[in-house]
Amino acid sequence: MIKTSLSRVASIDKWNAFLMNLKVPSLSRKAKEAIKVGIAFSIAYIIALQAGWLSPFWAGMTVGQIALFPNAQSLHNGALRILALIPAVLVATFIFAVAGQDRWLFVGLAVIWMMIATYLMIKDQKRSYMWNVAAFITFIFLTTTFTTSGDLFSQMASRTLDTIIGIVSYTLVMVFIWPDSNIGKLKKTAISLTAVQSKIFTLMVTQHNSAENKNAFRLAIKQEIGLVNGLKQAFFAKGSETYQVQEAAEFWKEYHSLSTQLGQSFSRLNNSTQGLENIDIYRLIPE
């Protein structure tokens, strides 16, 4: 009996040693992202099919559309996509109720809504994607084959539910399965931005009017603008998802604001300096 117990212990030890020495290949970030998209697509499509909604493929297509954006920027845009359903449903209902039997009034109202949505896209940069989605979803609702207001309501309700379940499924999968953090990109962008702004200040202080110095200054300005925009985009993409970023949100916002103000000050100072250089002081004040 003791020999049997010892043999069992030895077998267990061998099995544990085998498992510890077993090398399981780690998945790359791209493979993980592809797996997560596939899981979210399957969950959303199965739920929509089981619920018996009119257009279950919209749930899967929504997952595919928001998955086109890098990392958790897709989560930010997914939330905007849900918000875009509100104006889309209201505008589509209004146009159908007012101009359902008048083609020219229908076209006129559609054109007006397109102009309004385009204006809001340009003005409200933070929610530009929301107004873009609100515009084309409105026309998707209005171009659906229907004969009564009840048919239109059914189509809008079905596609709204499909969109919501697709975004919710994708969000849950992205957050709880292999979650990703953008803190590394934020730090890298901040370091690069500080280095570029230091280079801009150095080029301004040297005051060399050579063509090489001017080209280097213009290139540094372009890099600064791109890094400032990239910092803002990276923060808003991850700020609502990652605790490591969210706990320092106010500091990131302040850094972005100060960097923007510093860039504007550099531009004004450079323009003022160039204006003074072009003034012939002896001609203006010969005395």
Side-chain angles (χ1 to χ4, degrees):
M1 184 176 180
I2 296 176
K3 291 182 178 181
T4 303
S5 300
L6 291 175
S7 62
R8 287 180 179 177
V9 171
S11 300
I12 293 174
D13 291 338
K14 291 180 180 180
W15 178 249
N16 291 333
F18 172 75
L19 292 177
M20 292 180 64
N21 295 327
L22 183 63
K23 295 182 179 180
V24 179
S26 59
L27 296 175
S28 64
R29 171 55 55 184
K30 294 180 180 180
K32 291 179 180 179
E33 294 297 325
I35 293 173
K36 288 193 289 186
V37 172
I39 294 173
F41 180 90
S42 301
I43 293 174
Y45 200 76
I46 290 172
I47 292 175
L49 284 174
Q50 290 295 325
W53 293 332
L54 295 179
S55 306
F57 67 90
W58 273 95
M61 191 175 73
T62 300
V63 173
Q65 287 177 333
I66 62 175
L68 294 174
F69 300 96
N71 295 328
Q73 183 184 351
S74 55
L75 301 183
H76 179 70
N77 289 342
L80 294 179
R81 198 178 185 92
I82 293 178
L83 293 176
L85 293 171
I86 299 174
V89 169
L90 294 177
V91 173
T93 303
F94 174 78
I95 293 177
F96 179 78
V98 174
Q101 303 297 326
D102 191 334
R103 68 181 67 180
W104 294 114
L105 181 59
F106 182 94
V107 172
L109 292 176
V111 170
I112 292 174
W113 168 238
M114 180 61 69
M115 290 189 295
I116 293 174
T118 304
Y119 172 77
L120 292 173
M121 285 174 57
I122 299 173
K123 181 181 179 181
D124 191 3
Q125 291 292 326
K126 186 177 178 180
R127 287 174 286 271
S128 177
Y129 180 74
M130 184 188 78
W131 297 113
N132 183 357
V133 174
F136 77 76
I137 286 183
T138 300
F139 293 107
I140 289 176
F141 288 155
L142 292 174
T143 54
T144 304
T145 302
F146 53 82
T147 56
T148 64
S149 58
D151 295 335
L152 176 63
F153 177 80
S154 298
Q155 289 287 343
M156 289 193 299
S158 177
R159 295 194 177 186
T160 299
L161 291 172
D162 289 330
T163 301
I164 292 175
I165 198 62
I167 293 172
V168 171
S169 300
Y170 181 81
T171 301
L172 293 176
V173 170
M174 291 293 290
V175 170
F176 292 105
I177 299 179
W178 294 314
D180 187 22
S181 174
N182 207 32
I183 187 66
K185 183 178 180 180
L186 281 171
K187 290 181 179 179
K188 184 178 179 180
T189 305
I191 293 172
S192 300
L193 178 58
T194 303
V196 169
Q197 289 181 330
S198 176
K199 181 180 179 181
I200 292 173
F201 183 75
T202 302
L203 291 172
M204 294 179 65
V205 171
T206 55
Q207 296 182 351
H208 294 312
N209 295 326
S210 62
E212 182 180 356
N213 187 73
K214 291 181 179 179
N215 291 332
F217 183 81
R218 284 194 293 267
L219 180 61
I221 290 293
K222 290 182 179 179
Q223 292 177 346
E224 180 195 30
I225 294 174
L227 289 171
V228 170
N229 293 333
L231 181 66
K232 180 179 179 181
Q233 184 180 12
F235 174 76
F236 282 114
K238 290 283 186 175
S240 59
E241 176 217 352
T242 307
Y243 175 76
Q244 191 176 8
V245 176
Q246 188 63 31
E247 63 179 348
E250 295 302 322
F251 297 103
W252 285 113
K253 289 180 180 178
E254 183 178 4
Y255 176 76
H256 176 265
S257 176
L258 293 175
S259 299
T260 303
Q261 295 175 20
L262 182 59
Q264 294 173 352
S265 300
F266 281 156
S267 298
R268 288 194 295 266
L269 182 59
N270 181 62
N271 293 335
S272 301
T273 304
Q274 289 181 348
L276 291 174
E277 289 177 353
N278 296 329
I279 294 177
D280 188 352
I281 189 68
Y282 298 105
R283 181 179 177 184
L284 294 176
I285 310 176
E287 299 285 336

